[in-house]
């Protein structure tokens, strides 16, 4: 069998370490078998997918030293490799399923679906589509389509029985069809959902092994059915164990930075990060802990994967990174440090901020230390002396963080806009809002210009420091988070309203 594996990230956020982990294992397996490794971009969620996210994912994977044989940027015989460019393929396949009676048109309104879901939840049942449109006659469907009624395409699911999934690591998993929803395959805007696009592409791209995160096991019955409906041979399935926080919860950015960019920016070597990911669930036969990509590929075996929850342990990563750094000779060390932050491009971003404030070059370290490295010494006391109380500081940090998570770019104007509009919505002075940010980012109440600092630190480090500052202030309990969420939603709604009115006035 020709081994072909893939990684299929959705470009809806930061380049996640989980994507790199799955990519590494897929690459190692295909290379160890003399096969090919494909990178496919799953951007069918048009509202959440961004070009910036796709670019960052590709950049980060390349920085780690992962290379794909086929992908959106390198091409290949099975392209296009970006799902948004494959619309017709999915539409054709949706039609095929409809014609064969494996799928049906559904005209249910979202209000009806909500009511059904609520009733099912109250009755203690698993919420799922109740089959309302299953019985529509072909004529009914034609008539409603001709009248321009909105509809989706859903897949049919057997009413009872067991779906058997063969997982390479877990053996046969049985899932009751009654737990499987009549999944939407094509949305009302004509775009496919993940499930249809994923199955069609894995088949057309001749993927032999689907190695992906454990969180997708529940989707496997839907995929299995689709392969059967199309009459295709399904690829071999293997679900990798999820990465965990040290407390064993699912790896989350609230507890650990999860963006590859963060690690790059903070001075981790790509070899060390890759090595660290290679220790997640896979062990070397001789117990070796330090190894490069080529060694990993040589030693890689699916049999050596264990399902015990792999912990993303930053202390271990630091130790490993230190080991790699100490392994560099002086020349290489100097080159790597220069490439990291003391390159001309980075210095040219910092110089305009410091030159007016510098009397001796020796001042530079104190002035810009927080921009280059991470010399903040943050404690709850650092926030004293601001004109907000501790709970207000926490609120400002959380709201800014939420807004920054939604910005589509990381440009100075956008950051100014986020902060000024938020201060207005919260009815506080912009200076009061910026104070806590200065402290969170630099460890000091006064630092170099804030927005420029944020641009230089980048989105991941900025957000990680805001999260870190919130922890230093005692963190946000679940109850507090609920209250903050509500207030945030109200603020956003209120400012959208005033924004709208201002726009109207402007006309
Ligand atoms: N687009 C999915 C993701 O974001 C891919 C899941 C899969 O590998 O099937 O992870």
């Amino acid at each position: 069998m020709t081994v072909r594996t893939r990684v299929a990230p959705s470009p809806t956020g930061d380049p996640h370490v989980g994507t790199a982990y799955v990519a590494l294992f897929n690459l190692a397996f295909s290379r160890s078998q003399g096969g090919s490794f494909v990178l496919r971009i799953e951007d069918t969620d048009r509202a959440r997918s961004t070009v910036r996210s796709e670019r960052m994912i590709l950049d980060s994977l390349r920085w780690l030293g992962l290379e794909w044989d086929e992908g959106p940027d390198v091409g290949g015989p099975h392209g296009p490799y970006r799902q948004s460019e494959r619309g017709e393929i999915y539409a054709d396949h949706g039609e095929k399923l409809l014609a064969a009676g494996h799928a049906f048109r559904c005209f249910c309104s979202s209000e009806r679906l909500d009511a059904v879901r609520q009733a099912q939840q109250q009755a203690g049942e698993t919420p799922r589509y109740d089959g309302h449109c299953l019985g529509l006659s072909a004529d009914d469907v034609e008539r409603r389509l001709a009248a321009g009624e909105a509809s989706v395409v859903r897949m049919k699911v057997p009413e009872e029985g067991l779906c058997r999934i063969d997982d390479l690591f877990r053996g046969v998993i049985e899932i009751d069809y009654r737990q499987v929803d009549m999944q939407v395959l094509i949305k009302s805007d004509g775009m496919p959902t993940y499930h249809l696009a994923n199955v069609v592409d894995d088949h057309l791209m001749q993927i032999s092994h689907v190695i992906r995160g454990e969180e997708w096991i529940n989707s496997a019955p839907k995929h299995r059915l689709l392969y059967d409906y199309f009459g295709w041979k399904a690829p071999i399935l293997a679900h990798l164990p999820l990465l965990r926080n040290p407390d064993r919860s699912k790896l989350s950015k609230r507890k650990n930075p999860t963006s590859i960019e963060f690690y790059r920016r903070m001075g981790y070597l790509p070899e060390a990060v890759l090595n660290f990911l290679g220790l997640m669930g896979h062990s070397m036969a001789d117990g070796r802990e330090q190894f490069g990509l080529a060694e990993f590929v040589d030693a890689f075996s699916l049999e050596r994967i264990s399902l015990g929850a792999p912990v993303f342990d930053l202390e271990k990563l630091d130790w490993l990174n230190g080991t790699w750094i100490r392994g560099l000779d002086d020349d290489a060390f100097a080159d790597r440090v220069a490439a990291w932050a003391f390159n001309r491009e980075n210095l040219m971003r910092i110089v305009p901020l410091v030159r007016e404030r510098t009397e001796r070059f020796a001042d530079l370290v104190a002035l810009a230390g927080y921009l280059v490295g991470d010399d903040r010494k943050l404690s709850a006391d650092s926030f004293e002396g601001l004109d907000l109380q501790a709970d207000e500081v926490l609120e400002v940090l959380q709201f800014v963080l939420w807004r920054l998570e939604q910005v589509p770019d990381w440009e100075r104007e956008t950051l100014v806009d986020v902060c000024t509009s938020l201060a207005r919505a919260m009815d506080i002075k912009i200076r009061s809002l910026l104070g806590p940010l200065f402290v969170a980012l630099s460890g000091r109440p006064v630092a170099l210009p804030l927005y420029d600092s944020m641009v230089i630190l980048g989105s991941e480090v900025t957000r990680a420091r805001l999260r870190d500052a919130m922890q230093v202030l005692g963190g946000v309990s679940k109850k507090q988070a609920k209250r903050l969420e509500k207030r945030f939603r109200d603020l956003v709604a209120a400012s959208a309203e005033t924004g709208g009115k201002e726009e109207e006035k402007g006309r």
Side-chain angles (χ1 to χ4, degrees):
M1 179 202 291
T2 316
V3 168
R4 287 176 57 82
T5 62
R6 51 55 165 193
V7 66
S10 298
T12 54
D14 296 330
H16 199 279
V17 287
T19 303
Y21 158 66
V22 172
L24 170 64
F25 280 49
N26 275 283
L27 175 145
F29 178 60
S30 66
R31 296 263 191 283
S32 71
Q33 303 295 308
S36 307
F37 171 56
V38 177
L39 183 129
R40 179 172 75 227
I41 292 292
E42 299 209 326
D43 56 351
T44 55
D45 185 342
R46 300 309 291 150
R48 293 177 59 228
S49 299
T50 65
V51 174
R52 173 169 175 257
S53 169
E54 176 185 318
R55 201 188 53 231
M56 290 199 310
I57 293 172
L58 266 56
D59 270 7
S60 299
L61 294 178
R62 281 241 160 74
W63 173 72
L64 286 170
L66 298 171
E67 294 285 340
W68 38 98
D69 306 302
E70 298 168 30
D73 54 342
V74 295
H78 302 281
Y81 292 91
R82 203 176 275 116
Q83 290 188 328
S84 56
E85 293 165 18
R86 299 171 64 81
E88 270 177 37
I89 302 178
Y90 311 123
D92 285 352
H93 283 83
E95 287 303 327
K96 278 191 190 137
L97 292 176
L98 282 169
H102 295 308
F104 61 100
R105 290 244 169 225
C106 165
F107 296 88
C108 290
S109 65
S110 51
E111 290 78 23
R112 179 176 183 278
L113 296 174
D114 284 346
V116 170
R117 190 175 316 119
Q118 268 179 19
Q120 288 169 332
Q121 273 165 346
Q122 269 161 18
E125 294 165 17
T126 314
R128 62 194 288 248
Y129 182 66
D130 64 352
H132 187 73
C133 290
L134 258 178
L136 291 179
S137 69
D139 286 349
D140 278 345
V141 171
E142 277 311 313
R143 194 178 37 75
R144 293 174 78 163
L145 284 177
E149 250 189 83
S151 69
V152 300
V153 175
R154 285 182 188 274
M155 67 187 289
K156 289 189 185 169
V157 174
E159 273 172 39
E160 49 187 22
L162 288 178
C163 178
R164 289 193 176 75
I165 308 294
D166 207 352
D167 181 285
L168 202 61
F169 304 141
R170 293 168 179 77
V172 175
I173 304 171
E174 294 189 334
I175 300 182
D176 195 322
Y177 276 127
R178 277 174 296 201
Q179 301 297 321
V180 182
D181 202 2
M182 292 177 225
Q183 177 66 48
V184 173
L185 299 177
I186 299 196
K187 295 177 269 188
S188 54
D189 63 1
M191 284 302 272
T193 55
Y194 153 75
H195 303 277
L196 178 66
N198 187 273
V199 164
V200 167
D201 285 351
D202 281 344
H203 173 73
L204 295 180
M205 295 181 183
Q206 297 172 12
I207 300 302
S208 62
H209 292 71
V210 167
I211 307 174
R212 64 181 164 200
E214 184 173 25
E215 71 270 34
W216 298 101
I217 289 185
N218 285 338
S219 300
K222 293 171 189 166
H223 298 182
R224 168 86 249 170
L225 279 173
L226 287 175
Y227 283 107
D228 291 348
Y229 290 165
F230 285 122
W232 295 337
K233 185 170 174 295
I236 294 171
L237 264 187
H239 290 95
L240 293 169
L242 280 185
L243 303 181
R244 306 269 163 187
N245 295 309
D247 65 4
R248 303 283 152 147
S249 55
K250 182 177 160 200
L251 186 66
S252 66
K253 60 184 170 202
R254 273 187 55 228
K255 301 199 174 144
N256 268 321
T258 51
S259 167
I260 303 166
E261 271 307 298
F262 172 86
Y263 295 95
R264 177 180 185 169
R265 190 65 187 66
M266 292 322 293
Y268 289 86
L269 294 177
E271 299 92 318
V273 177
L274 210 57
N275 182 171
F276 177 63
L277 293 172
L279 290 170
M280 300 284 123
H282 188 273
S283 53
M284 295 296 219
D286 58 6
R288 213 172 350 145
E289 292 210 292
Q290 192 187 2
F291 45 80
L293 180 58
E295 287 170 85
F296 183 63
V297 169
D298 275 349
F300 187 84
S301 149
L302 289 174
E303 269 124 54
R304 297 204 57 81
I305 290 183
S306 88
L307 295 184
V311 174
F312 198 86
D313 174 0
L314 286 186
E315 279 179 26
K316 177 98 184 211
L317 173 58
D318 285 351
W319 167 79
L320 206 50
N321 200 49
T323 310
W324 274 95
I325 285 184
R326 287 188 298 276
L328 299 171
D329 64 27
D330 290 356
D331 260 330
F333 191 114
D335 289 345
R336 292 302 199 83
V337 174
W340 165 62
F342 295 103
N343 56 65
R344 192 156 183 87
E345 197 191 333
N346 204 32
L347 287 175
M348 290 301 278
R349 299 196 305 163
I350 297 175
V351 167
L353 303 188
V354 293
R355 52 176 299 149
E356 297 304 324
R357 298 171 173 81
T358 305
E359 272 155 8
R360 306 169 306 161
F361 287 145
D363 302 335
L364 282 176
V365 175
L367 270 175
Y370 76 97
L371 283 183
V372 179
D374 188 8
D375 68 348
R376 299 162 305 140
K377 289 191 188 52
L378 219 53
S379 70
D381 294 344
S382 321
F383 293 89
E384 302 236 321
L386 297 174
D387 55 359
L388 297 178
Q389 301 298 319
D391 56 337
E392 294 170 314
V393 169
L394 212 53
E395 188 173 84
V396 162
L397 294 173
Q398 179 66 84
F399 288 179
V400 172
L401 187 57
W402 278 334
R403 287 299 314 274
L404 293 181
E405 263 156 17
Q406 294 159 355
V407 298
D409 56 43
W410 197 254
E411 307 289 338
R412 194 176 185 284
E413 288 111 87
T414 315
L415 304 176
V416 174
D417 204 40
V418 161
C419 294
T420 39
S421 62
L422 194 59
R424 202 180 316 127
M426 291 176 75
D427 201 17
I428 57 174
K429 290 205 208 78
I430 182 72
R431 286 185 47 178
S432 309
L433 181 123
L434 298 185
L437 302 186
F438 269 110
V439 178
L441 297 183
S442 69
R444 313 190 288 249
V446 186
L448 298 173
L450 182 80
Y451 298 119
D452 299 300
S453 298
M454 288 165 85
V455 171
I456 292 174
L457 287 171
S459 160
E460 289 76 15
V461 173
T462 299
R463 287 181 291 132
R465 288 193 186 173
L466 297 185
R467 267 184 230 112
D468 186 41
M470 290 173 61
Q471 287 307 322
V472 164
L473 285 167
V476 174
S477 68
K478 276 216 173 108
K479 205 165 136 207
Q480 256 173 317
K482 276 229 165 89
R483 195 182 52 78
L484 286 175
E485 261 165 44
K486 173 154 190 330
R487 190 159 132 71
F488 185 67
R489 266 199 311 271
D490 292 347
L491 281 182
V492 172
S495 58
E497 222 168 76
T498 16
K501 279 197 196 120
E502 273 164 19
E503 217 167 84
E504 254 165 49
K505 265 191 254 153
R507 263 194 227 145

